[in-house]
Amino acid sequence: MVNFLHRAKAALSPVSAHATEIEVSHGKGCYLVDTKGKAYLDFTSGLGVCSTGHCHPEVVSAIQNQAASLIHGCLGIVYYEPPIALAEKIGQILGGSETNLTSIFFTQSGSEAMETAIKLAKYVTKKHKLVAFRGGFHGRTLGALSVTTSKEKYRAGYEPLLEGVSFFPYPYCYRCPWGRERATCEVYCADHELAPYLEALDNQVAAVIIEPVLGEGGYTFAPKEFIQKLVQKCREKGILVIFDEIQSGIGKTGTWFAFQQLDVAPDIVTIAKGIGSGLPLGACVSTPEIMNQWTKGAHGGTYGGNPVTCAAGLASLKVIEKALPAVAGLGKLVLERLQSELKDHPFVGEIRGQGLMIGIELVTDKVAKTPGVELVKTVLKKCLDQYLIVVSCGIEDNVIRLIPPLTITESELHKGLDILISVIHELH
Ligand SMILES: Cc1ncc(COP(=O)(O)O)c(C=O)c1O
């Protein structure tokens, strides 16, 4: 009995949105195969999760081996290898002398990693206020939702949320909130807007939370100087800096973490998605100095550091370590092709990306920059008709979001781009 669609409608809560109605039988590499045997090229990686591709053999075998020896023990009761080995590995990746981000708390999701980060920041600073950025997405649980503004419908019906949260405009350069031109602005926002804003805050702010790459909000990249000035200002004021790298981390931008290209060190980093290849795994990472201020038992959970998810995490990091040196080059190839074939298209407002995290912002009018919401819907539908799965992002949902697995080959990338580019050319 297949008929997933019909049964899902009857049995699953209708609250979850579905980008497609594809009924999947299995996945392999960059492909999802439906129940009729048709293979779809998946440029979404299950929303930025399967960076090793679907069912990578090394990840599958790590999960199988671990499941056969220990599925759960509870870190609150005993110790076992996978979470410790994975934490050591993350510490090696993140813990250079500048950052010292070597103390890790494991979670089951990105939202829970954000809850952990928020609780940690409040606990150690003994302050309760938070600053987040407009358009940011940090999750659906109540704390994470309190700092999320990427879509109104996420918050509607749940307010009041956490008190003491204020929002600053994200430096979305294509749509500069301060009406400046990127080429000439000299990061006006950092000195003239952000600095006085932070200056005016009272001394009750525990943390500033930012995605160095705005994910759900539109695949836009905060300027390096902006982030540097933000971190510097926070340091001066004793405010902790939390980087949400749940979407942008684990190799997607060509380095393990996007912030590693920015010459800054946050106090706390959140991770999820790509680290688990699909198993529910997230982490909140900070320095031992900060983590050591958290009283034993002040936070915890039954499943955090689960042996099977952490074994999947370790195997995923090994696969990604091998793929990582090629990611920047693959991203360049995509950007160059998109630029050369689409730059002058009347509906293509901006093409932007780093590594394999790429956005194409569609507009109906290049001067007014009117969001091309229907255009994007048409593109996604037509790509699907040709067996390419692509999703959108953006506050207005007018950005085509490309996040293929990091293990993708050049020929698979070109195959997808052939379809995407021809579909965009058909727009009128
Ligand atoms: C930047 C960012 N933060 C947090 C989350 C929430 O993660 P999860 O869906 O695993 O709770 C997401 C998910 O899309 C995300 O992209």
Side-chain angles (χ1 to χ4, degrees):
M1 188 166 67
V2 180
N3 205 351
F4 296 153
L5 191 58
H6 181 73
R7 285 163 55 210
K9 282 193 173 150
L12 300 181
S13 164
V15 71
S16 307
H18 295 272
T20 79
E21 297 198 335
I22 304 170
E23 298 179 311
V24 170
S25 137
H26 60 279
K28 192 168 189 315
C30 296
Y31 289 91
L32 284 172
V33 182
D34 75 8
T35 48
K36 295 190 184 85
K38 187 66 214 170
Y40 287 77
L41 186 53
D42 181 10
F43 268 23
T44 75
S45 317
L47 266 193
V49 170
C50 299
S51 291
T52 56
H54 294 286
C55 297
H56 191 286
E58 289 175 38
V59 178
V60 171
S61 129
I63 293 170
Q64 286 172 335
N65 290 339
Q66 185 56 48
S69 82
L70 182 72
I71 294 177
H72 179 70
C74 187
L75 271 190
I77 300 178
V78 287
Y79 293 98
Y80 30 84
E81 173 75 14
I84 302 166
L86 181 58
E88 286 166 351
K89 180 70 191 168
I90 295 171
Q92 281 165 18
I93 291 170
L94 274 173
S97 55
E98 304 267 293
T99 57
N100 203 24
L101 294 161
T102 56
S103 190
I104 288 123
F105 182 92
F106 286 115
T107 67
Q108 283 78 243
S109 69
S111 298
E112 193 197 349
M114 288 308 302
E115 297 293 330
T116 307
I118 291 169
K119 285 179 73 179
L120 175 63
K122 285 188 163 200
Y123 195 91
V124 304
T125 60
K126 300 183 177 60
K127 299 173 185 172
H128 74 286
K129 293 191 181 173
L130 300 164
V131 175
F133 284 78
R134 292 222 165 273
F137 182 83
H138 302 287
R140 309 279 199 151
T141 51
L142 290 172
L145 183 61
S146 301
V147 290
T148 290
T149 47
S150 57
K151 290 203 173 46
E152 268 174 33
K153 69 176 171 199
Y154 296 157
R155 297 172 68 95
Y158 303 111
E159 282 164 308
L161 294 163
L162 277 185
E163 62 165 286
V165 181
S166 62
F167 294 96
F168 190 77
Y170 195 90
Y172 192 141
C173 297
Y174 176 67
R175 297 180 180 277
C176 175
W178 301 280
R180 305 270 153 167
E181 287 300 325
R182 186 181 349 216
T184 52
C185 79
E186 295 176 342
V187 203
Y188 165 92
C189 51
D191 291 323
H192 299 277
E193 300 289 345
L194 176 73
Y197 178 81
L198 291 178
E199 212 48 63
L201 290 173
D202 57 33
N203 59 4
Q204 282 310 307
V205 180
V208 168
I209 300 168
I210 188 165
E211 293 165 83
V213 181
L214 194 63
E216 170 83 16
Y219 272 36
T220 189
F221 301 76
K224 183 174 180 172
E225 297 78 5
F226 180 89
I227 297 279
Q228 288 177 337
K229 290 193 174 170
L230 170 70
V231 173
Q232 184 198 333
K233 269 279 152 215
C234 288
R235 287 275 128 73
E236 286 164 17
K237 296 192 70 65
I239 299 171
L240 296 179
V241 176
I242 302 173
F243 281 172
D244 178 345
E245 291 245 22
I246 286 162
Q247 189 151 174
S248 57
I250 313 293
K252 293 210 186 69
T253 62
T255 46
W256 278 113
F257 289 88
F259 85 81
Q260 290 170 322
Q261 297 173 41
L262 304 174
D263 297 326
V264 286
D267 301 291
I268 301 173
V269 178
T270 52
I271 310 173
K273 290 192 181 272
I275 194 172
S277 288
L279 263 64
L281 177 62
C284 170
V285 187
S286 189
T287 64
E289 292 71 32
I290 292 174
M291 283 283 189
N292 288 343
Q293 295 175 53
W294 225 355
T295 309
K296 203 168 271 306
H299 187 60
T302 306
Y303 298 107
N306 171 272
V308 182
T309 60
C310 289
L314 269 171
S316 302
L317 293 187
K318 276 193 197 137
V319 173
I320 290 169
E321 197 156 37
K322 281 181 253 162
L324 195 53
V327 172
L330 290 171
K332 193 160 170 269
L333 171 159
V334 177
L335 277 183
E336 282 175 359
R337 198 167 159 203
L338 292 174
Q339 291 287 1
S340 82
E341 298 184 44
L342 292 177
K343 185 169 53 75
D344 297 326
H345 191 287
F347 297 145
V348 174
E350 188 174 59
I351 299 163
R352 50 188 179 244
Q354 249 171 31
L356 288 170
M357 209 174 164
I358 292 166
I360 308 168
E361 179 149 0
L362 297 192
V363 291
T364 52
D365 176 330
K366 270 184 154 168
V367 177
K369 298 184 180 173
T370 318
V373 182
E374 292 306 318
L375 294 171
V376 168
K377 279 191 195 149
T378 304
V379 170
L380 303 192
K381 158 92 182 54
K382 288 193 167 182
C383 284
L384 209 54
D385 292 343
Q386 297 184 56
Y387 304 101
L388 171 69
I389 313 178
V390 189
V391 285
S392 59
C393 61
I395 296 162
E396 304 281 353
D397 251 333
N398 69 315
V399 180
I400 300 166
R401 137 161 71 168
L402 308 182
I403 18 169
L406 305 182
T407 49
I408 195 165
T409 62
E410 281 192 22
S411 72
E412 286 166 331
L413 270 177
H414 280 302
K415 186 177 167 185
L417 291 177
D418 287 345
I419 297 169
L420 178 66
I421 291 169
S422 72
V423 162
I424 294 177
H425 275 304
E426 282 166 21
L427 291 173
H428 49 80

